[in-house]
Amino acid sequence: MQIQNYKQNFTPQFKALHIADAGDLSLYKITDLSDKKYIKNLSERIKIKELMPNLGKDESDRWQEMLEYAVDNAQYPENITYLETHNNKPCGIITFRTENKTTFLDCICTFPTEIGKKVSLAGKTLFYQMFKDIQNIRNSRLELEAITNGPIDVVSKYEDLGFKKTSRVFPTKVVMEINSSKIKETLRKLTELVDYKPVTPEKINLNNTLD
């Protein structure tokens, strides 16, 4: 059963940069103000409660908050943002920025395109793209804040990607980090999972492409 949240009256003039495909996933780099307006609207169009009806209210509310946080962070000009799609439907956002030799993952959020079904490898594909972007920054590190009160145990997922917990622990989150050598190691491992195929970068109108 396909969710209908994507069929509302909204006609942005997209100029996003299509950069890669990974199986039935596609990655678009946000490059234009109209792209950011489209991203901003996603938190209103996509309803986690409807997409994941078996989740409790607290869990779905927290997931919705993460989506809202992701679209808000995509508005900052200093952030690099990628929109991920699954069979032409938005399914994920990642935003990050690099200052000196430290990259900060501001937010990553994936969401289903069908009721009750998570999109396979959506998160790992977004991480692959980010790691690919920053892999050549020597002696660098990547830092993120892992929430500890969400619907998914993201701390374990990040540890599987090579992140380590730091001593900075807060009531609902823990700061984690990974260094440049570990990033390259994880990138090699992800290459075996993610069928990543770069495409000739092309600015397209996603309104004519996405459902």
Side-chain angles (χ1 to χ4, degrees):
M1 180 178 180
Q2 298 290 328
I3 195 71
Q4 297 300 311
N5 288 330
Y6 302 97
K7 298 295 187 178
Q8 297 181 5
N9 294 326
F10 186 69
T11 56
Q13 295 302 310
F14 250 99
K15 295 179 182 177
L17 199 64
H18 182 200
I19 61 163
D21 294 320
D24 53 9
L25 300 172
S26 295
L27 289 167
Y28 299 88
K29 188 172 185 178
I30 300 307
T31 62
D32 190 82
L33 182 60
S34 58
D35 303 341
K36 294 182 178 183
K37 290 180 180 178
Y38 176 85
I39 294 291
K40 184 71 174 176
N41 191 260
L42 285 179
S43 60
E44 298 178 2
R45 299 165 61 206
I46 296 170
K47 305 300 182 185
I48 299 300
K49 289 180 182 179
E50 298 176 17
L51 285 164
M52 300 296 286
N54 292 330
L55 282 182
K57 183 179 185 302
D58 289 344
E59 293 175 320
S60 61
D61 286 350
R62 184 60 171 141
W63 198 336
Q64 190 75 37
E65 288 175 4
M66 291 306 298
L67 174 57
E68 293 169 359
Y69 186 70
V71 301
D72 285 345
N73 274 274
Q75 309 306 307
Y76 296 119
E78 65 271 22
N79 283 359
I80 294 173
T81 299
Y82 288 97
L83 173 69
E84 182 179 45
T85 66
H86 172 245
N87 293 331
N88 294 332
K89 294 181 183 293
C91 71
I93 303 169
I94 190 169
T95 67
F96 58 95
R97 71 189 191 281
T98 299
E99 299 176 3
N100 297 320
K101 289 183 176 293
T102 300
T103 297
F104 299 92
L105 171 58
D106 287 310
C107 194
I108 179 172
C109 183
T110 63
F111 37 90
T113 57
E114 296 181 56
I115 293 177
K117 295 182 181 180
K118 295 178 183 178
V119 178
S120 179
L121 295 177
K124 285 184 172 62
T125 300
L126 288 171
F127 266 104
Y128 183 95
Q129 182 61 58
M130 178 175 62
F131 286 159
K132 190 174 183 297
D133 279 8
I134 67 175
Q135 64 177 320
N136 293 322
I137 304 176
R138 297 181 60 187
N139 301 319
S140 65
R141 67 187 182 93
L142 170 62
E143 181 179 296
L144 61 80
E145 294 180 348
I147 61 171
T148 55
N149 65 337
I152 301 170
D153 179 11
V154 295
V155 172
S156 295
K157 289 182 177 294
Y158 295 152
E159 288 176 332
D160 289 343
L161 289 170
F163 287 87
K164 302 291 186 183
K165 288 187 279 190
T166 70
S167 59
R168 288 175 286 170
V169 180
F170 304 92
T172 61
K173 62 187 179 184
V174 57
V175 177
M176 304 180 73
E177 63 182 21
I178 184 174
N179 61 34
S180 56
S181 61
K182 192 67 176 179
I183 285 173
K184 291 182 178 179
E185 178 184 330
T186 301
L187 193 57
R188 288 193 295 269
K189 292 179 180 178
L190 287 177
T191 300
E192 300 176 1
L193 295 174
V194 177
D195 185 23
Y196 185 93
K197 290 182 171 59
V199 300
T200 301
E202 177 185 14
K203 283 192 175 183
I204 62 173
N205 186 333
L206 286 186
N207 189 53
N208 296 333
T209 304
L210 301 187
D211 291 341

